[in-house]
Amino acid sequence: MKQERMSAFIKEGRSMLLAYDQGLEHGPSTDFNDKNIDPSFVMELAVKGGFDGVTFQKGVAERFYTGGVPLLVKVNGKSALVKGDPVSRQVCSVEYAVSLGAKAVGYTIYLGSAFEHEMLAEFGKIQEEAHERGIAAIAWVYPRGAAVKDDTSRETVAYAARAALELGADAAKIKYTGDRDSFAWAVKSGGGMKVFMSGGPKAATDQAFLLQVKGAMDAGATGLAVGRNAWQNAEPLAMANSLRKVIFENMSVESALAR
Amino acid sequence: MKQERMSAFIKEGRSMLLAYDQGLEHGPSTDFNDKNIDPSFVMELAVKGGFDGVTFQKGVAERFYTGGVPLLVKVNGKSALVKGDPVSRQVCSVEYAVSLGAKAVGYTIYLGSAFEHEMLAEFGKIQEEAHERGIAAIAWVYPRGAAVKDDTSRETVAYAARAALELGADAAKIKYTGDRDSFAWAVKSGGGMKVFMSGGPKAATDQAFLLQVKGAMDAGATGLAVGRNAWQNAEPLAMANSLRKVIFENMSVESALAR
Amino acid sequence: MKQERMSAFIKEGRSMLLAYDQGLEHGPSTDFNDKNIDPSFVMELAVKGGFDGVTFQKGVAERFYTGGVPLLVKVNGKSALVKGDPVSRQVCSVEYAVSLGAKAVGYTIYLGSAFEHEMLAEFGKIQEEAHERGIAAIAWVYPRGAAVKDDTSRETVAYAARAALELGADAAKIKYTGDRDSFAWAVKSGGGMKVFMSGGPKAATDQAFLLQVKGAMDAGATGLAVGRNAWQNAEPLAMANSLRKVIFENMSVESALAR
Amino acid sequence: MKQERMSAFIKEGRSMLLAYDQGLEHGPSTDFNDKNIDPSFVMELAVKGGFDGVTFQKGVAERFYTGGVPLLVKVNGKSALVKGDPVSRQVCSVEYAVSLGAKAVGYTIYLGSAFEHEMLAEFGKIQEEAHERGIAAIAWVYPRGAAVKDDTSRETVAYAARAALELGADAAKIKYTGDRDSFAWAVKSGGGMKVFMSGGPKAATDQAFLLQVKGAMDAGATGLAVGRNAWQNAEPLAMANSLRKVIFENMSVESALAR
Amino acid sequence: MKQERMSAFIKEGRSMLLAYDQGLEHGPSTDFNDKNIDPSFVMELAVKGGFDGVTFQKGVAERFYTGGVPLLVKVNGKSALVKGDPVSRQVCSVEYAVSLGAKAVGYTIYLGSAFEHEMLAEFGKIQEEAHERGIAAIAWVYPRGAAVKDDTSRETVAYAARAALELGADAAKIKYTGDRDSFAWAVKSGGGMKVFMSGGPKAATDQAFLLQVKGAMDAGATGLAVGRNAWQNAEPLAMANSLRKVIFENMSVESALAR
């Protein structure tokens, strides 16, 4: 068994990460309001909400990361403006991420894109450099592109998890399939690698989102990497609290919502 | 808070930069007349006009930069002849820029271009090398390409500012949205990073241009990076004077124009 | 005659390798069931089944390789999602493979693909680095792409073997042509280089598969690299046993099946 | 003012260079006859004709350059066979050019080509390496490609000169516009950088060519880089003599032709 | 005159090389029979036939080169399966070729291909590295691609020879034009560089082939690089003998055939 590079982000085998790279990936006007557009707001939430890690692009990390929570630096990125099969290239070196205090680097692979090979090759190098420097390499694996029909199907999500495992990722961030059983197949495909459910767009209700998270945890996920469902929530700290109960205490959604 | 690499260009939090890379970007016949085609004319204007920085491509810097104003070297560029989604590649190393006396490097990212990923990746490296050498990396972020509908909309300009922040730029140069409120959103998207309004093509009247600048400053911009509206002006020193009043003294456009 | 880098994988000139990189190449839902999705199951099979080598991608090797059988690390890979002419790029450095204990690296070349030149060039470098580090470089040569009509024809398979020889591979893994005589031409094209028959998808019956293997061995193959026909088999150890009899003892298929 | 790297090629501010890279650019059958196909013939002409420099590709320089005239090595090139937007890539390192005795390297940029960015980026590196090694970098700037309507218009030629200046070239070689006034605009766009008129295809008469050269010199050009109009001339030494009179002595074309 | 790097391959100014890279370039089933598919057969022919050099890809050289004849390693290659404009990329480093005992490296440039620029740039680097290591760089120049109408015309073959000269090749291998006079133009275009006629596909009769070789030698060629017309011949040693008479003794074809 290899050295556990994810340990900084894990408590008793579980983890709740806060993600905040949407400014580049989606644009501020799509996801942000007057409050959460401020990275300080999110940094504070990461600490006060008891998250086990926070994800920033290097520019936000450099200006707003204040410690108190382990840092995960996203090292590739793209805008949402470009159409067609997606390609996201490295914009931050592992060395630079480490200099900012990162305990892990994150990299998005659009599996199934016509440019998949460029991202696989780039992640291959980043993973090795991360390990050389003693930090974790986490793969966001999002099947996308003309060849991908349904990016949350049982088969597709399991493929994402497996690709991360085969490529040597220390953890994978993948989409939720919609139900526990199919997500369990993805977790199993990960072969023991840490699997994080990707929070995705804001769910209709808190309950709806917590049910997803509950399903993922019951399926064997290590935890959740949540962004919009936390910092777009009117009461993000309460939401963080509920999430913690579901993730770490195996609490039912109903109990977790009872504040 | 990270080290302030922009300090050379900033006076009491504000700044007025002179830009002169249009010879490559637009061609001399589009923008220049018999006077301003001469880089000495612009270099002199930078000093006499009290600008806080001057932007040249390396060739112009090497021949015409005489000091007296901090130097910003533009390190990528393209001609206006090529059609289709734009791509602008590095033509000057950070090391070379530093050897010319640069206190900052500038790089244009055409966000939304089909070649966006090449520029994001290249800027990622340049930003890190600039910081290693102790100078600032400024991102000109201009959304452009078939996928970009309106490059001065509130959403698009805010996206430009945010991309610069996320990518670790020390400052962004972005287009004006047309009004203070929408530009304030872009400034806010920048998360405290210095935001410069890009001067753009010569406005119909001095007043019209000053009103834009006033709007940008009121919206929280750090300042202006102006080219054509300065050196195409029949009285560039007077224009510089008026701009200074708007930028540094919060003066109304009317008062600033009263010479 | 050059140094025999394949010796770790060879017994008396013959070899039986276990392949398990289908998780990335085909996706877990295509090839795996609840048992064989677990790399431990395959690692155990490699040892108990008396295989002469086991092939993993780096991520699986890092987590599941426990020794007892020489390791072969596959250093390029792609998903099955992307359509069009295939390209598979390096995702693991030779150095990293060696650090995992690899005695050989494997690389797939899609001969005839419009991207063939990228893979030929990349394999050229990997082969040299492998030799520098004293391990073998094995070429999986699979003619594929719009220009390839029949990838198991006598001509095409012989081309695959010859390409591997010319490019300096220590061994080639190629598809079976369907009969001994035509496969003998491929082996002959290999000029004495070790030639492994690629197991391919699960055959209809054990007998059918063993007949293929028998044909390949009679044609002069060094051995077999088998994946699905081993670990998808209901009785993989029995299958391994039968294969060993065919490969190493020249036994007839009928005798080999008599358990 | 930067160090004058062109001084080896300049006499009292003027210069007459002999160009001979047409063997690669156009093919021998297009431009050469039994005499001028021999590089020795051109090398001898360079010396006897009193030229201030001679331009060869590295292969010709290596075999035929005998000194007596400063050497300029062309470091990129392409054949005339390929159609579509042109791209010409580096085929000789600056280091190799220096080892051959070069006092300058030349590089062609097809401004306006869809591959312009590749050439701009490559020239950017070559220019810096040349300066590091203390030799000049000369840009042949030829606007060409589907987007370029008229490559000898006032606007286009001025753009070529300006691009060379901005990119840090020590000199530019550009086409003649057809008249003095428009060429003066190109020279002015060059901002004091040495501007050489490109000789182009053989003119109808000696007089016609000399009139072009006279126009360029009167417009402020530093001189001429001539190939076909010299070595395709029936009396190349006489032509060289006439050219020298026009270039260095401000002689009228009529007087210069009176031999 | 530059150092003669070709001397190992030359006897009294002439040379007869054996080429055997068709296994990769054409595939074994196209060119080979049961005898000549074996590289040992060709290696033996090289020695016994009195050839002045033998050309292998690195894999064949590594396994079959036994000395007795200088080695030329082909360092790029492609399969015949891919359609469209050809591109052939480096698959063997110069360093590796030298380690195999090569006295020269060979590289194919498909002049006129849409990918010509990639091969020109790559050859440019290989040529310099070869010279640094003291061995020769030989250019196989084969005009090919949609833009090339007739690859054996006087103009096209001369262009091939000239390109090799300009690019610094120590020798060129080019196709025969069909007659002495037109081939003499190609030789002349080579400016004294060694020019080898490429043997090409098996000629209808020995006489027909010898007449081509005689024509090339009379045109000033240094010699011949022959493959199929030697090792596909029923009596390869006799053919080698005849070829030697034509190449080294200026013998008529009739006399050379009289065995």
Side-chain angles (χ1 to χ4, degrees):
Chain A
M1 191 50 129
K2 69 174 180 176
Q3 169 197 353
E4 189 43 86
R5 297 182 196 89
M6 287 295 292
S7 57
F9 302 98
I10 309 281
K11 283 197 212 100
E12 298 172 28
R14 304 196 173 187
S15 180
M16 186 173 87
L17 305 174
L18 192 60
Y20 187 65
D21 63 340
Q22 289 79 358
L24 180 57
E25 296 295 333
H26 306 154
S29 307
T30 305
D31 285 348
F32 296 159
N33 60 22
D34 274 357
K35 256 201 301 199
N36 58 36
I37 197 172
D38 180 2
S40 298
F41 174 84
V42 174
M43 183 66 229
E44 202 179 300
L45 172 60
V47 175
K48 290 196 180 156
F51 285 89
D52 303 305
V54 63
T55 302
F56 292 137
Q57 282 280 355
K58 68 177 171 185
V60 173
E62 194 162 17
R63 290 175 183 269
F64 295 95
Y65 178 64
T66 52
V69 147
L71 176 64
L72 196 169
V73 170
K74 187 81 189 314
V75 295
N76 69 337
K78 58 179 281 299
S79 84
L81 297 169
V82 191
K83 302 307 171 200
D85 274 26
V87 58
S88 182
R89 292 276 307 279
Q90 184 173 11
V91 296
C92 177
S93 69
V94 176
E95 183 183 1
Y96 202 83
V98 167
S99 79
L100 297 174
K103 298 287 181 243
V105 287
Y107 186 96
T108 306
I109 297 170
Y110 293 108
L111 208 74
S113 161
F115 306 102
E116 175 199 279
H117 59 285
E118 294 186 23
M119 291 171 279
L120 292 181
E122 201 162 72
F123 179 73
K125 287 177 191 152
I126 287 166
Q127 181 259 10
E128 298 187 8
E129 198 181 340
H131 288 190
E132 214 172 273
R133 296 180 183 275
I135 67 170
I138 307 183
W140 275 226
V141 189
Y142 297 150
R144 199 172 297 174
V148 177
K149 299 301 168 218
D150 178 359
D151 70 340
T152 58
S153 74
R154 180 183 189 271
E155 289 73 20
T156 305
V157 176
Y159 207 156
R162 186 69 179 202
L165 167 68
E166 303 258 345
L167 294 164
D170 297 283
K173 185 178 167 194
I174 55 176
K175 295 207 168 175
Y176 188 55
T177 52
D179 68 278
R180 193 188 63 173
D181 286 358
S182 55
F183 200 74
W185 177 243
V187 172
K188 195 156 193 170
S189 296
M193 173 193 58
K194 310 292 182 205
V195 170
F196 289 82
M197 175 189 138
S198 167
K202 181 88 158 56
T205 64
D206 291 0
Q207 191 193 29
F209 184 65
L210 287 164
L211 281 168
Q212 292 178 32
V213 177
K214 178 74 178 158
M217 295 309 296
D218 287 353
T222 294
L224 170 72
V226 65
R228 289 163 282 177
N229 277 289
W231 41 255
Q232 283 182 0
N233 196 294
E235 299 183 64
L237 286 174
M239 183 42 134
N241 205 31
S242 301
L243 285 168
R244 239 187 351 259
K245 288 174 181 164
V246 169
I247 293 171
F248 292 94
E249 303 173 26
N250 294 322
M251 203 177 277
S252 75
V253 169
E254 274 183 20
S255 310
L257 274 172
R259 290 159 185 176
Chain B
M1 192 50 131
K2 70 174 180 178
Q3 169 196 353
E4 188 44 86
R5 298 181 196 88
M6 287 294 292
S7 57
F9 302 97
I10 308 282
K11 282 198 213 100
E12 299 172 27
R14 304 195 173 188
S15 179
M16 185 173 88
L17 304 175
L18 192 58
Y20 188 64
D21 63 342
Q22 289 79 357
L24 180 57
E25 296 296 332
H26 307 154
S29 307
T30 305
D31 285 347
F32 296 159
N33 62 20
D34 274 356
K35 256 200 299 198
N36 58 36
I37 197 172
D38 179 3
S40 298
F41 174 83
V42 174
M43 184 65 229
E44 201 179 301
L45 172 60
V47 176
K48 291 197 180 156
F51 285 89
D52 303 304
V54 62
T55 302
F56 292 137
Q57 283 278 356
K58 70 176 170 186
V60 172
E62 193 161 19
R63 289 175 184 270
F64 295 96
Y65 178 63
T66 51
V69 147
L71 176 65
L72 196 167
V73 171
K74 186 84 187 313
V75 295
N76 68 338
K78 57 179 280 300
S79 84
L81 296 169
V82 191
K83 302 307 171 200
D85 274 26
V87 57
S88 183
R89 292 276 307 280
Q90 185 172 11
V91 295
C92 177
S93 69
V94 175
E95 183 182 2
Y96 201 84
V98 167
S99 79
L100 297 174
K103 298 287 182 242
V105 288
Y107 186 96
T108 305
I109 297 169
Y110 294 108
L111 209 73
S113 161
F115 306 102
E116 175 199 278
H117 59 286
E118 296 186 22
M119 291 172 278
L120 292 181
E122 201 162 73
F123 179 73
K125 287 177 190 152
I126 287 166
Q127 181 259 11
E128 297 185 8
E129 197 181 340
H131 288 191
E132 214 173 272
R133 296 180 183 274
I135 67 170
I138 307 183
W140 275 227
V141 189
Y142 297 150
R144 199 172 298 174
V148 177
K149 299 302 168 217
D150 178 359
D151 70 341
T152 58
S153 75
R154 179 183 190 272
E155 289 74 22
T156 305
V157 175
Y159 208 156
R162 186 68 178 204
L165 167 68
E166 303 257 346
L167 294 163
D170 296 283
K173 185 179 167 193
I174 55 176
K175 294 207 169 177
Y176 188 55
T177 52
D179 68 278
R180 193 187 65 175
D181 286 359
S182 55
F183 201 75
W185 177 243
V187 171
K188 196 156 192 169
S189 296
M193 174 193 59
K194 310 293 182 204
V195 171
F196 289 82
M197 174 189 139
S198 166
K202 182 86 160 56
T205 63
D206 291 0
Q207 191 192 29
F209 184 65
L210 287 164
L211 280 168
Q212 291 178 32
V213 177
K214 178 74 179 158
M217 295 309 297
D218 287 352
T222 294
L224 170 72
V226 64
R228 288 163 282 177
N229 278 289
W231 42 257
Q232 283 183 358
N233 197 293
E235 299 183 64
L237 286 174
M239 182 43 132
N241 205 31
S242 301
L243 285 167
R244 240 188 348 261
K245 288 174 180 161
V246 170
I247 293 170
F248 291 95
E249 303 173 26
N250 294 322
M251 203 177 276
S252 75
V253 169
E254 274 183 20
S255 310
L257 273 172
R259 290 158 184 177
Chain C
M1 192 50 131
K2 69 174 178 177
Q3 169 196 354
E4 189 44 84
R5 297 181 196 89
M6 286 296 291
S7 57
F9 302 97
I10 308 282
K11 282 197 212 101
E12 299 173 27
R14 304 196 173 186
S15 180
M16 186 172 87
L17 305 174
L18 192 59
Y20 188 64
D21 63 340
Q22 288 79 358
L24 180 57
E25 297 296 332
H26 307 153
S29 307
T30 305
D31 284 348
F32 296 160
N33 60 23
D34 274 357
K35 257 200 301 198
N36 58 37
I37 197 172
D38 180 2
S40 298
F41 174 84
V42 173
M43 183 65 228
E44 202 179 299
L45 172 60
V47 175
K48 291 196 180 157
F51 284 89
D52 303 305
V54 63
T55 302
F56 293 137
Q57 283 279 355
K58 69 177 172 185
V60 172
E62 195 163 17
R63 289 176 185 269
F64 295 96
Y65 178 64
T66 53
V69 147
L71 177 64
L72 197 168
V73 171
K74 188 82 190 314
V75 294
N76 68 338
K78 58 179 279 299
S79 84
L81 297 169
V82 191
K83 303 306 171 200
D85 273 27
V87 57
S88 182
R89 292 277 306 278
Q90 186 173 11
V91 296
C92 177
S93 69
V94 175
E95 185 183 0
Y96 202 83
V98 167
S99 79
L100 297 173
K103 297 288 181 244
V105 287
Y107 186 96
T108 305
I109 298 169
Y110 293 109
L111 208 73
S113 161
F115 306 102
E116 175 199 278
H117 60 284
E118 295 186 23
M119 290 171 279
L120 292 181
E122 202 161 71
F123 179 73
K125 286 177 191 153
I126 287 166
Q127 181 259 10
E128 298 186 8
E129 197 182 341
H131 289 190
E132 214 173 274
R133 295 181 184 274
I135 67 170
I138 307 183
W140 275 227
V141 189
Y142 297 150
R144 199 172 298 173
V148 177
K149 298 304 169 216
D150 178 0
D151 70 341
T152 58
S153 74
R154 179 184 190 271
E155 289 72 21
T156 305
V157 175
Y159 208 155
R162 186 69 181 204
L165 167 68
E166 303 257 345
L167 294 163
D170 295 284
K173 185 179 166 193
I174 55 176
K175 296 208 168 174
Y176 188 54
T177 52
D179 68 279
R180 193 188 65 174
D181 285 358
S182 55
F183 200 74
W185 178 242
V187 171
K188 196 157 192 169
S189 295
M193 173 193 58
K194 310 293 183 205
V195 170
F196 288 82
M197 174 189 139
S198 166
K202 182 88 159 54
T205 64
D206 290 1
Q207 191 192 30
F209 184 64
L210 287 164
L211 280 168
Q212 292 178 32
V213 178
K214 177 74 179 159
M217 294 310 295
D218 288 351
T222 294
L224 170 72
V226 64
R228 289 163 282 177
N229 277 290
W231 41 257
Q232 283 183 358
N233 197 293
E235 299 182 64
L237 287 174
M239 184 41 134
N241 205 31
S242 301
L243 285 168
R244 238 186 351 259
K245 287 174 180 162
V246 170
I247 293 171
F248 291 95
E249 303 174 25
N250 294 322
M251 204 177 275
S252 73
V253 169
E254 276 184 17
S255 309
L257 274 172
R259 290 158 185 177
Chain D
M1 194 49 131
K2 69 174 180 178
Q3 167 197 356
E4 188 43 86
R5 297 180 198 89
M6 286 296 291
S7 57
F9 302 97
I10 309 281
K11 283 198 212 98
E12 298 172 28
R14 305 196 172 187
S15 180
M16 186 172 88
L17 304 174
L18 192 60
Y20 187 65
D21 63 342
Q22 288 80 357
L24 180 57
E25 296 296 332
H26 306 154
S29 307
T30 306
D31 285 348
F32 296 160
N33 61 22
D34 274 357
K35 256 201 299 199
N36 58 37
I37 197 172
D38 179 3
S40 299
F41 174 84
V42 173
M43 183 65 229
E44 201 180 301
L45 172 59
V47 176
K48 290 197 180 154
F51 284 89
D52 303 304
V54 63
T55 302
F56 292 137
Q57 283 278 356
K58 69 177 171 185
V60 172
E62 194 162 18
R63 289 176 185 268
F64 295 96
Y65 178 63
T66 51
V69 148
L71 177 64
L72 196 167
V73 171
K74 187 84 188 313
V75 294
N76 68 338
K78 58 179 280 300
S79 85
L81 295 169
V82 191
K83 303 307 170 199
D85 274 26
V87 57
S88 182
R89 292 275 306 280
Q90 186 172 10
V91 295
C92 177
S93 69
V94 175
E95 185 183 0
Y96 201 84
V98 167
S99 80
L100 297 174
K103 298 288 181 241
V105 287
Y107 186 96
T108 305
I109 298 169
Y110 293 108
L111 209 74
S113 161
F115 306 102
E116 175 199 278
H117 60 285
E118 295 187 22
M119 292 172 278
L120 292 181
E122 201 161 74
F123 179 72
K125 286 176 191 154
I126 287 166
Q127 181 259 10
E128 297 186 9
E129 197 181 340
H131 288 191
E132 214 173 90
R133 295 180 185 274
I135 67 170
I138 307 183
W140 275 227
V141 189
Y142 297 150
R144 198 172 299 173
V148 176
K149 299 302 167 216
D150 178 0
D151 70 340
T152 58
S153 75
R154 181 184 189 270
E155 289 74 20
T156 305
V157 175
Y159 207 156
R162 187 68 180 204
L165 167 68
E166 303 257 345
L167 294 163
D170 296 284
K173 185 179 167 193
I174 55 176
K175 294 208 167 174
Y176 188 55
T177 52
D179 68 278
R180 193 187 64 175
D181 285 359
S182 55
F183 200 74
W185 177 242
V187 171
K188 196 155 193 170
S189 296
M193 174 193 57
K194 310 293 182 204
V195 171
F196 289 82
M197 173 189 140
S198 166
K202 182 87 158 56
T205 64
D206 290 0
Q207 192 193 29
F209 184 64
L210 287 165
L211 280 168
Q212 292 178 32
V213 177
K214 178 72 179 160
M217 294 309 297
D218 288 352
T222 294
L224 170 71
V226 63
R228 288 164 283 177
N229 277 288
W231 41 257
Q232 283 183 358
N233 197 293
E235 299 183 63
L237 286 175
M239 182 41 132
N241 205 31
S242 300
L243 285 168
R244 240 186 351 258
K245 287 175 179 162
V246 169
I247 293 171
F248 291 95
E249 303 173 26
N250 295 322
M251 204 177 275
S252 75
V253 169
E254 276 184 16
S255 309
L257 274 172
R259 290 159 185 177
Chain E
M1 195 47 133
K2 69 174 178 175
Q3 168 197 356
E4 189 43 85
R5 297 181 196 89
M6 286 296 290
S7 57
F9 302 97
I10 308 281
K11 283 197 212 99
E12 299 171 28
R14 304 195 172 188
S15 180
M16 186 173 88
L17 305 174
L18 192 59
Y20 187 66
D21 64 341
Q22 288 79 358
L24 180 57
E25 296 296 332
H26 307 154
S29 307
T30 305
D31 284 349
F32 296 160
N33 60 23
D34 274 357
K35 256 200 301 198
N36 58 37
I37 197 172
D38 180 2
S40 298
F41 174 83
V42 173
M43 183 65 229
E44 201 179 301
L45 172 60
V47 176
K48 289 196 182 158
F51 285 89
D52 303 304
V54 62
T55 302
F56 292 137
Q57 283 279 356
K58 69 177 171 185
V60 172
E62 194 162 17
R63 288 175 186 269
F64 295 95
Y65 178 64
T66 52
V69 147
L71 177 64
L72 196 168
V73 171
K74 187 82 189 313
V75 295
N76 69 338
K78 57 180 280 299
S79 84
L81 297 169
V82 192
K83 302 307 171 200
D85 274 26
V87 57
S88 181
R89 291 276 306 279
Q90 186 173 10
V91 296
C92 177
S93 70
V94 176
E95 184 183 1
Y96 201 83
V98 167
S99 80
L100 297 173
K103 298 288 180 241
V105 287
Y107 186 96
T108 306
I109 298 169
Y110 293 108
L111 209 73
S113 161
F115 306 103
E116 175 199 280
H117 60 285
E118 295 186 22
M119 292 172 278
L120 292 181
E122 201 161 73
F123 179 73
K125 286 175 191 155
I126 287 166
Q127 181 259 9
E128 297 186 9
E129 198 182 339
H131 288 190
E132 214 172 274
R133 295 180 184 274
I135 67 170
I138 307 183
W140 274 227
V141 189
Y142 296 150
R144 200 172 297 173
V148 177
K149 298 303 168 216
D150 178 0
D151 70 340
T152 58
S153 74
R154 179 183 190 270
E155 289 72 22
T156 306
V157 175
Y159 208 155
R162 187 67 180 204
L165 167 68
E166 303 257 344
L167 294 163
D170 296 284
K173 184 179 167 193
I174 56 176
K175 294 207 169 176
Y176 188 55
T177 53
D179 68 278
R180 193 187 64 175
D181 285 359
S182 54
F183 201 74
W185 177 244
V187 171
K188 196 156 193 170
S189 295
M193 174 193 59
K194 309 293 182 205
V195 171
F196 288 81
M197 174 189 140
S198 166
K202 182 87 158 56
T205 63
D206 291 0
Q207 191 192 30
F209 184 64
L210 287 165
L211 281 168
Q212 292 177 32
V213 177
K214 177 75 180 159
M217 294 309 296
D218 288 351
T222 293
L224 170 72
V226 63
R228 288 164 282 178
N229 277 289
W231 40 257
Q232 283 183 357
N233 197 293
E235 300 183 62
L237 286 174
M239 183 41 134
N241 204 32
S242 300
L243 285 168
R244 239 187 349 259
K245 288 174 181 163
V246 169
I247 293 171
F248 291 95
E249 303 173 25
N250 294 321
M251 204 177 275
S252 74
V253 169
E254 276 184 16
S255 309
L257 274 171
R259 289 158 186 177

